[in-house]
Amino acid sequence: MFQAIYRTIWRALALGRSSGSEYELQAQLAQMRMTPGYTASDIPPPTNFPIKCHPKADQVCAELDEYFYRNWPWKDEAQGKQFLQSETNRWACLALPNAWDSRIVDSVRVNTLLFLLDETMTFAEGKELYKRLTPLALGKALPNRTDPLEWMTYDIWKSMRAIDAEMTEVVWQGALLCIMAQVDEARMKCPDMGSLLKHREKEAGIAFVAGVLRFAQRIRLTPSEVSLMSPFFTLYSVHGVTVNDILSYEKEVRLYEETKAEGAFILNMTQAFSNDTGLPQRASKRVLWILIREWEIIWADKAKELRAKGISKALGEYLTGMEYVLGGNEWWSWRTKRYQRKQLADWAG
């Protein structure tokens, strides 16, 4: 409706109409004034992406919650219990609802491994830690069985290679890109939204997540098919990191105030958008949610165009799989106690 009204107004202004047309213009403006104006709401429109959980999620989460809780070198018991409460393993069950039953455990486990490694290391420790663990992940060195970081890294990647060496290499290459972005000093020089988005595209781990998706569903693609997904990789990155940054913002502020671990500023899209626009953080979140939904519309349009050209079954499964990853990520991010949200939006269900 508004578009039609605006078109009438601009046509009238451009053509310099007579007094009779001016009356028509005034009537249109009056109609706009009678229409209720914008009212701020912290409840965003629901996502357009599908949401589904793997049918064996409860079984897988019970197994891997115990595995990581029993073996990971938590700094104290409270940290281990916090991990259980955050339901980290369920993230991958939501992201990979169509994973093969024979591959879901390894797919979830490698995701949680990288998540915990990122949580465990400080920025300064990152490069040294991954330098030590890389040969173990590649099976080129044997682990110290008294060091959980070493033997868990070795065992998890070994198990994946035994199932599918080719796809495991795809996952590893993606993990490496994610790791390098996380320990890149350039991430400390991204105070504005534009530069932060560009860096977070690498840090978001799209290559890693996409690799895990291919491993989980045994999706073989040609190089040309992978290249067709390039615009979707970019959309995945900006969508995923922005959702997480909105919902984790209060947690990051609290950690920043306690430790100043990230340096002189908070590396979060909410903060960057607020800095760029002058909007308060709460208003910045509302605007970012609309931006997220616009990215979803762009995704849907591009996906429709791609499918209309005729694509292979494997590429179709890959595209659908990425949509489930984004839907699952948002569902989990609203609910996890990791972000310690006091309540959920009603629409989240």
Side-chain angles (χ1 to χ4, degrees):
M1 179 184 72
F2 286 124
Q3 290 181 346
I5 293 173
Y6 283 127
R7 282 197 297 270
T8 301
I9 292 171
W10 284 112
R11 278 199 301 268
L13 293 173
L15 297 175
R17 292 185 175 181
S18 63
S19 58
S21 295
E22 289 177 7
Y23 176 80
E24 179 184 344
L25 176 59
Q26 291 299 323
Q28 294 281 8
L29 290 170
Q31 182 181 354
M32 290 179 65
R33 285 193 292 270
M34 292 174 63
T35 303
Y38 169 73
T39 302
S41 174
D42 293 326
I43 301 177
T47 182
N48 294 310
F49 287 127
I51 299 171
K52 185 171 74 171
C53 199
H54 194 278
K56 292 187 177 294
D58 290 345
Q59 176 184 332
V60 171
C61 289
E63 176 184 340
L64 295 183
D65 282 353
E66 173 65 19
Y67 173 82
F68 282 104
Y69 180 70
R70 183 179 68 251
N71 295 312
W72 196 258
W74 310 108
K75 66 179 181 181
D76 53 40
E77 186 177 353
Q79 187 185 41
K81 290 183 177 179
Q82 189 176 38
F83 163 77
L84 296 177
Q85 293 172 353
S86 73
E87 294 191 280
T88 302
N89 287 308
R90 192 165 293 273
W91 182 93
C93 291
L94 286 157
L96 306 168
N98 297 322
W100 289 15
D101 289 353
S102 58
R103 300 185 178 214
I104 183 63
V105 170
D106 284 282
S107 300
V108 175
R109 189 162 51 179
V110 73
N111 178 81
T112 301
L113 173 67
L114 257 69
F115 173 86
L116 289 176
L117 286 173
D118 181 49
E119 287 285 289
T120 299
M121 66 182 181
T122 65
F123 184 78
E125 295 170 339
K127 289 184 179 179
E128 289 302 316
L129 177 62
Y130 283 118
K131 184 178 180 180
R132 176 162 60 95
L133 296 181
T134 292
L136 299 171
L138 294 174
K140 295 181 178 180
L142 294 176
N144 175 357
R145 286 288 168 181
T146 65
D147 185 335
L149 297 184
E150 288 199 7
W151 70 257
M152 292 175 79
T153 297
Y154 179 86
D155 288 358
I156 289 172
W157 287 97
K158 180 181 179 181
S159 177
M160 292 179 66
R161 282 194 300 274
I163 294 173
D164 191 331
E166 180 185 347
M167 286 296 98
T168 299
E169 178 61 21
V170 173
V171 177
W172 170 250
Q173 292 300 323
L176 196 58
L177 290 174
C178 181
I179 291 166
M180 291 300 99
Q182 290 170 344
V183 298
D184 187 351
E185 293 181 2
R187 77 192 296 262
M188 307 302 293
K189 303 173 184 178
C190 300
D192 63 278
M193 184 172 175
S195 59
L196 185 58
L197 263 180
K198 289 179 181 178
H199 183 81
R200 294 294 289 278
E201 184 174 347
K202 296 180 292 183
E203 191 176 293
I206 172 58
F208 170 70
V209 173
V212 174
L213 172 62
R214 291 180 63 185
F215 172 88
Q217 294 184 220
R218 197 180 180 277
I219 298 175
R220 258 61 175 178
L221 300 173
T222 65
S224 61
E225 286 179 318
V226 174
S227 67
L228 289 174
M229 289 294 294
S230 180
F232 297 98
F233 292 161
T234 298
L235 287 168
Y236 168 90
S237 298
V238 295
H239 185 288
V241 299
T242 306
V243 166
N244 290 349
D245 279 7
I246 292 172
L247 297 175
S248 67
Y249 180 69
E250 283 73 19
K251 169 182 173 288
E252 292 187 31
V253 170
R254 186 181 69 255
L255 292 176
Y256 169 78
E257 292 174 347
E258 291 174 355
T259 66
K260 297 292 191 296
E262 293 289 356
F265 51 84
I266 299 171
L267 294 170
N268 182 288
M269 288 292 295
T270 303
Q271 186 66 51
F273 189 80
S274 178
N275 292 343
D276 285 357
T277 63
L279 286 172
Q281 282 77 23
R282 188 174 177 182
S284 294
K285 289 183 178 183
R286 292 194 291 264
V287 176
L288 287 173
W289 275 120
I290 299 303
L291 183 59
I292 287 168
R293 298 304 179 234
E294 288 294 331
W295 284 328
E296 293 180 8
I297 292 172
I298 294 172
W299 179 295
D301 289 342
K302 289 185 177 296
K304 184 178 180 180
E305 291 175 6
L306 181 60
R307 292 182 187 278
K309 295 177 181 178
I311 58 177
S312 68
K313 179 182 178 182
L315 185 56
E317 291 178 350
Y318 191 41
L319 183 57
T320 299
M322 293 302 300
E323 293 170 354
Y324 276 119
V325 173
L326 288 168
N329 175 65
E330 184 169 329
W331 195 97
W332 180 87
S333 297
W334 270 106
R335 291 159 176 78
T336 177
K337 291 185 178 180
R338 167 178 167 75
Y339 297 153
Q340 298 185 5
R341 296 184 61 79
K342 294 181 180 179
Q343 60 184 15
L344 298 175
D346 292 340
W347 70 271

